[in-house]
Amino acid sequence: NWSMPVVNDGTPGQILRIIFCGDRSRSHRHNRDESGWVPQFRVTAVAAPSISSLKVVMTSTLISLGHYAPQRRVPNAEIESRLGLEPGWVARRTGIHERRYAAPDEALSDLAVKAGEMALSRLGFARDKIGLLVLATSTPDHLLPPSAPLVAHRLGLKGAGGIDMAGACGGFLYALTFADSFVRAHGVPVLVIAANILSRRTDPDDR
């Protein structure tokens, strides 16, 4: 929490305790803890006659990014040759020229861990500050148990919960929206990872 004076209509200034959540920021350095985590917030409090009229707007922000792609590249020519299609058939219809295929011994959680590790390595605070991992995927390692707790464990997120979120193409956006709400509500960082291995769910002989 944080103390600030609130001025009302003619009465002396009051001290109001505000509970807030937020994100890293370069401002408010006097509130920075040893890990570098600084709550970030916006407060509107002008001539507020009562506590109920004080509006506090919490915000969240992206502070780190990571990615991973499997090594094997599959160009259109490989698919077109197998299906007996003329060169350029796939690109004309999809705009895609190549895609990455996971190795036979690579699980969905393996891809997620590598992307998550890159993002976590760029943080300015300890990873045990992460409060939740949201894994956006339609191709988990198995239906139950979910894959997110496994990924959180492998990433060393000792204090984090983990949930899978299936949303297909929109899954990452749904996960980001959920993470934003969690940050606002609880004031802790959230790691969002989107990963899919669709090559194992599609029919390679279907045009």
Side-chain angles (χ1 to χ4, degrees), residues 133-155:
L133 184 148
V134 184
L135 177 61
T137 182
S138 297
T139 60
D141 289 353
H142 26 64
L143 183 59
L144 289 173
S147 299
L150 171 62
V151 174
H153 172 72
R154 291 177 59 185
L155 289 173

Side-chain angles (χ1 to χ4, degrees), residues 63-66 112-113 115-121 123 125 127 129-136 148 151-152 155-157 160-163 172 175-176 178-179 182-183 188-194:
I63 58 175
S64 182
L65 298 172
V113 166
E117 186 62 47
M118 178 183 287
L120 291 170
S121 68
L123 292 179
F125 56 88
R127 63 181 63 193
K129 294 285 185 179
I130 303 294
L132 179 68
L133 184 148
V134 184
L135 177 61
V151 174
L155 289 173
L157 307 183
I163 60 172
F172 189 51
L176 281 177
F178 182 86
F182 194 92
V183 169
V188 295
V190 176
L191 175 63
V192 176
I193 302 176

